[in-house]
Amino acid sequence: MTLKLYLAGPEVFLPNARDMLDAKAAMARAYGFEPICPGDVTIEPAPTRHAFGLKISGVDEDMMNRADGVIANLTPFRGIAADVGTAFELGYMCAQGKLVAAYTNMTANHFARTRDFYAGDIREGADGRKRGPDGMSLEDFDMIENLMLHGGIERRGGHIAIHDAAADALYTDLTAFEECLAVLAARPAASERA
């Protein structure tokens, strides 16, 4: 049985979204998987933008329900952390007990990125926790992303690929994505794991 993989990530927002989704889908097929990509279906119009957004959300959840697993692109997007939609999708798949893997094209961990957000102005609070100048505490767990995302993958035996992509290729470099495909393809079949 061919495993169906939902390919989550912010690629749908890129100017070359179709090219990137097609490239990722082709790679997934080359490794023996059936890719399920957001953006691969036509969604009927709706009377309002809000109603159209709800339709997209429903279609994406239906695609995740059909999938056996997910590869999530956690490369920071529009800030210091992963795309929020991708974070939801990863959590949704973790909650269903499906196969999970993720990658990032940035090697700086979550703490380092948060420290950079505060331009290095980190202090130790009275409680011993590292805090920014606004008093907010920082996660410092040597994890690539928020502990719930990183932990959700690792605690389920999932793979996290970390790659140092060039700044102009943060969302187009597929080296770490391919690493996830290779690791998942090398997993023993379910019948062998039983």
Side-chain angles (χ1 to χ4, degrees):
M1 179 177 126
T2 303
L3 284 178
K4 297 181 192 83
L5 291 179
Y6 184 80
L7 307 181
E11 288 81 7
V12 296
F13 299 110
L14 299 178
N16 63 340
R18 185 73 268 154
D19 293 338
M20 287 306 302
L21 293 171
D22 289 347
K24 290 177 84 172
M27 288 176 77
R29 282 188 206 94
Y31 277 88
F33 300 108
E34 181 182 328
I36 299 176
C37 300
D40 272 359
V41 296
T42 302
I43 300 172
E44 294 177 14
T48 66
R49 288 191 312 270
H50 181 86
F52 189 61
L54 290 175
K55 280 189 174 197
I56 294 170
S57 173
V59 166
D60 286 353
E61 284 190 23
D62 288 343
M63 288 194 292
M64 287 187 285
N65 291 337
R66 290 194 333 261
D68 301 302
V70 63
I71 297 178
N73 179 355
L74 299 182
T75 303
F77 184 69
R78 295 179 179 159
I80 62 168
D83 166 56
V84 293
T86 303
F88 171 86
E89 292 167 336
L90 177 59
Y92 189 90
M93 298 298 268
C94 282
Q96 291 190 31
K98 296 191 177 188
L99 189 64
V100 292
Y103 71 96
T104 179
N105 282 332
M106 186 176 286
T107 57
N109 70 20
H110 190 263
F111 172 76
R113 296 191 314 266
T114 309
R115 182 189 60 220
D116 290 349
F117 173 80
Y118 287 117
D121 188 7
I122 305 301
R123 305 150 190 185
E124 186 171 319
D127 58 2
R129 297 184 72 184
K130 294 175 181 151
R131 297 187 176 276
D134 55 9
M136 299 288 186
S137 67
L138 282 68
E139 284 189 13
D140 187 11
F141 300 109
D142 196 24
M143 293 181 166
I144 198 63
E145 195 34 91
N146 172 278
L147 68 88
M148 294 304 292
L149 298 178
H150 187 127
I153 298 162
E154 193 171 313
R155 288 179 31 263
R156 285 164 179 79
H159 182 72
I160 301 173
I162 302 167
H163 176 67
D164 188 17
D168 64 351
L170 274 182
Y171 305 107
T172 57
D173 186 321
L174 297 178
T175 304
F177 173 70
E178 186 168 19
E179 180 182 320
C180 288
L181 289 169
V183 167
L184 292 177
R187 289 173 51 94
S191 59
E192 295 174 40
R193 290 193 303 267

